[in-house]
């Protein structure tokens, strides 16, 4: 690759940190529900965010399910801030 050629960069990441949600919306693409209860472990999330930042990542979207139900959400947001990631949170708004 010559210096004049640009390599594609990974700039955005959407991370579904849980599949638990109080709602069961027909239009939702995440297949989450109140019957589900899986949450990504904090260490796995941190590793993914660290790798994403090293690849030049800039924007993080946190969703799920309902991300506000993830007990370690504050730590995830704090870590994303330390990595200087612009962070957005997508919530169903009823938690």
């Amino acid at each position: 690759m010559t210096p004049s050629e640009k390599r594609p960069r990974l700039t955005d990441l959407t991370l579904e940190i849980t599949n638990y949600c109080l709602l069961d919306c027909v239009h939702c693409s995440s297949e989450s529900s109140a019957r589900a209860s899986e949450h990504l472990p904090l260490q796995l999330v941190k590793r993914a965010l660290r790798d994403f930042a090293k690849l030049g990542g800039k924007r993080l979207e946190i969703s799920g399910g309902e991300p506000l139900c993830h007990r370690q959400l504050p730590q995830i947001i704090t870590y994303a801030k330390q990595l200087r990631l612009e962070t957005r949170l997508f919530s169903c708004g009823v938690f």
Side-chain angles (χ1 to χ4, degrees):
M1 181 177 289
T2 65
S4 63
E5 293 176 324
K6 291 186 177 181
R7 294 180 79 175
R9 298 190 76 166
L10 179 63
T11 58
D12 296 79
L13 174 68
T14 300
L15 193 59
E16 295 185 0
I17 61 173
T18 182
N19 66 352
Y20 177 79
C21 184
L22 298 170
L23 304 178
D24 195 12
C25 300
V26 174
H27 65 275
C28 185
S29 64
S30 73
E31 298 182 22
S32 300
S33 73
R35 296 175 304 281
S37 63
E38 295 178 7
H39 304 289
L40 287 180
L42 180 60
Q43 292 308 315
L44 178 62
V45 172
K46 282 185 163 184
R47 186 171 71 221
L49 295 182
R50 184 177 58 247
D51 291 347
F52 173 62
K54 283 182 183 178
L55 291 170
K58 301 293 180 202
R59 289 173 293 279
L60 170 65
E61 296 177 351
I62 301 173
S63 68
E66 176 48 64
L68 295 174
C69 293
H70 194 296
R71 292 181 189 265
Q72 295 172 311
L73 179 62
Q75 292 96 318
I76 293 169
I77 293 172
T78 298
Y79 190 66
K81 184 177 179 181
Q82 290 171 355
L83 294 172
R84 299 180 184 256
L85 298 174
E86 177 185 317
T87 304
R88 299 177 182 135
L89 181 73
F90 290 93
S91 170
C92 67
V94 297
F95 181 72

